[in-house]
Amino acid sequence: IVPTTSTIASHLPRAVGIGFAIERLRRLGDGRARPTGRRATGGPNRQRAEAESPWPADAIVVCSFGDASVNHATAVAAFNTAGWCDHTGLRIPVLFVCEDNGLGISVKSPDGWVAQALRAKPGIRYFSADGCDLVETYDVAVEAAAWVRRHRRPAVLHLSTVRLMGHAGADAEMAYRTAAEIARDVERDPVVATARLLAEAGLASPDELIARYDEVGWQVRKVAEEVLGERKLEHAADIVAPLAPRRPVRVAKEITDAAGRAAGPAAAARKAAFGAKLPEQEGPFTLAQTINAALADGLLDHPGMTVFGEDVAVKGGVYGVTKGLRDRFGAPRVFDTLLDETSVLGLGLGAGLSGMLPVPEIQYLAYLHNAEDQLRGEAATMQFFSRGAYRNPMVVRIAGLAYQEGFGGHFHNDNSLAVLRDVPGLVLAVPARPDDAAPMLRSCLASAAVDGSVCVFLEPIALYHTRDLYADGDGEWLAPYQGPGGWTASHVPIGRGRVYGVGSAEDVTIITFGNGVRMSLRAAAKLAEEDVGTRVLDLRWLAPLPVADIIREASATGRVLVVDETRRSGGVGEGVVAALVDAGFVGSARRVASIDTFVPLGPASRQVLVSEEAITQGARTLLAR
């Protein structure tokens, strides 16, 4: 029984994802994958061992919801995805159960609307019963479950039922329901109807049923009184503990172990996957090429890892980042999805809960915002709500941020990260350079596998194919790909930044990330010509922020320039400045940030985004104080 939130229908995409995973696991080696979804037992060695899928081979998913939820966007997405998969021949063994009491708090569902809406879902078999009739409900439920189990296809069971009392404790239903409507529901009370059925069948007398009812009531009260005496959550640490476990030593060991497997027993498979040359024998690589190679190494090491999203398989991604992965690892592990971000993340939620290691891609950062609750309300809260009993690890790759040349507009140059930084426990990585991208991605994959982390790996689009840093043809933004022998030494722990020294590195500290790293290094080179020494701190991780690195590097010069390509309001810079204030930093600090606006098309974007000139001038202003 997987915990759900109170957001109506938000759990339906995950249900579809679990159904998808049940069937997909069969194609990934007789239903075997590493146990990343449920809390692992038996210590770290058990975590890495091959284990059976947490679900039986003939399992089906049962997902219940109310009639008002039928209208919710996430429900529509889930039904559509289940039907879409069925239409394309993919099996999704999910039984949706609609408990239809005709009310969404105080709003009535129009007569016949729910039945018509559910009947019309393509690819989903429709069953219905009177939910107040125990016999009919049982018979139809058995039939529906058997149909889903036998055919491995989605179905919906529509149960008409009643609501006794208000929606919640403070809800006075007399304010919006007539006495006659309330009386009709009381008359159909399924508990009373069941008692009547048992009495008429001679299976129990009325007195026996009443006595049993009272006895159950006393049992419930006894348990309630016992629970009242249990220890309550009294400390913040108790509350936070299951939110996002962080075991950096185990994560580091996971990467070392992966390197050992890649160089040892899996060396032949790795050579076969990469073909004529291993990636460490090629290069140097761009950011996009490095991510591609790191994904391939991840797929080789994690049998349950899958890469999926819009256009990622056949096309290889809009920017070619996943090019060739489908050919190497096959359609069951690298596949295209329908164009719906809610469904993409829902598939990831279900896959992670089922023991897989999902790596879904959101094509552009702007497209995440219509589906972000699947990350905030569903993915990031699972360990919190279940106190660690369940988890849905995933690494969500997102192409984002601005500065693309010749292709713009705010949907393809989105610099809004506030919603991601605000999610408790979520890991947000932003690699700027190729030699950081692979280690950071390995850290995310290891953290997901070991700790059940929900990670967002945000890839700066404008840096995907960048080759040069200071001058055309210098190749300074390229880097060789590290083979397994270098994975341990190059490991990048979550929440640790990277420092560059330019000149004496004693005059000013620039704190930045993403596209700001390249611009800041170029600005630092210009400042060096003026005998100004600069430290450039690449945050690399925006959640959790590398606070210790921020304080250390700021204190080294006493002058801090925060270069933030996100917006001034709600941007990353606010968190950096707050960290400095909280630590009692007494030096000088200022921000250079993008303007509070969407990013326009063409050259106009230069008027609102951070520029090298603005960085250089900001540093000079600090030095003049």
Side-chain angles (χ1 to χ4, degrees), residues 330-421:
R333 301 192 64 193
V334 181
F335 57 91
D336 292 321
T337 65
L338 72 175
L339 272 65
D340 175 55
E341 286 71 29
T342 294
S343 298
V344 171
L345 294 177
L347 292 175
L349 288 167
L353 195 71
S354 301
M356 301 173 72
L357 183 55
V359 183
E361 178 186 295
I362 301 298
Q363 200 167 81
Y364 289 100
L365 176 59
Y367 299 164
L368 170 70
H369 300 310
N370 62 53
E372 59 200 18
D373 186 59
Q374 291 295 298
L375 279 182
R376 176 198 172 276
E378 297 296 318
T381 61
M382 177 55 74
Q383 295 201 81
F384 183 72
F385 282 146
S386 69
R387 199 160 181 80
Y390 288 94
R391 59 193 198 171
N392 32 228
M394 63 168 67
V395 179
V396 184
R397 294 181 47 252
I398 305 177
L401 301 176
Y403 299 99
Q404 288 190 80
E405 293 293 336
F407 190 62
H410 71 276
F411 276 100
H412 301 97
N413 283 282
D414 185 16
N415 60 349
S416 176
L417 297 178
V419 68
L420 291 170
R421 292 189 60 246

Side-chain angles (χ1 to χ4, degrees), residues 160-246:
S160 61
T161 183
V162 296
R163 192 183 79 186
L164 305 177
M165 300 184 293
H167 170 76
D171 180 36
E173 60 179 346
M174 288 296 293
Y176 53 85
R177 301 185 75 191
T178 67
E181 289 172 336
I182 295 172
R184 280 197 297 271
D185 272 5
V186 171
E187 188 65 26
R188 294 184 65 219
D189 183 339
V191 177
V192 176
T194 301
R196 185 182 301 117
L197 180 68
L198 293 171
E200 290 174 352
L203 298 173
S205 69
D207 289 342
E208 289 173 332
L209 292 167
I210 292 172
R212 182 176 178 183
Y213 181 86
D214 289 340
E215 175 61 25
V216 172
W218 280 109
Q219 290 176 7
V220 171
R221 180 169 181 172
K222 180 183 177 182
V223 171
E225 290 174 348
E226 290 174 354
V227 171
L228 285 172
E230 291 184 354
R231 188 178 75 87
K232 304 300 185 290
L233 292 171
E234 299 172 345
H235 304 287
D238 294 335
I239 298 169
V240 174
L243 178 64
R246 292 277 183 269

Side-chain angles (χ1 to χ4, degrees), residues 475-563:
E476 291 288 333
W477 206 255
L478 302 172
Y481 184 81
Q482 287 280 353
W487 291 0
T488 298
S490 63
H491 170 52
V492 177
I494 291 174
R496 292 301 307 272
R498 176 178 179 177
V499 183
Y500 301 85
V502 181
S504 67
E506 296 177 351
D507 299 312
V508 65
T509 298
I510 298 177
I511 300 177
T512 187
F513 65 95
N515 295 290
V517 177
R518 183 172 182 270
M519 291 189 293
S520 295
L521 288 173
R522 289 168 63 89
K526 293 179 182 177
L527 291 169
E529 296 173 359
E530 304 170 16
D531 293 326
V532 175
T534 306
R535 293 169 179 259
V536 177
L537 171 61
D538 177 4
L539 296 170
R540 297 196 292 198
W541 307 92
L542 304 188
L545 278 171
V547 175
D549 296 329
I550 291 172
I551 304 307
R552 183 189 66 248
E553 297 307 316
S555 301
T557 64
R559 301 183 186 90
V560 177
L561 179 66
V562 181
V563 176

Side-chain angles (χ1 to χ4, degrees), residues 395 427 429 439-449 455-457 494 541:
V395 179
V427 174
M440 290 173 70
L441 183 56
R442 281 193 286 270
S443 292
C444 288
L445 292 171
S447 182
C455 304
V456 171
F457 197 74
I494 291 174
W541 307 92

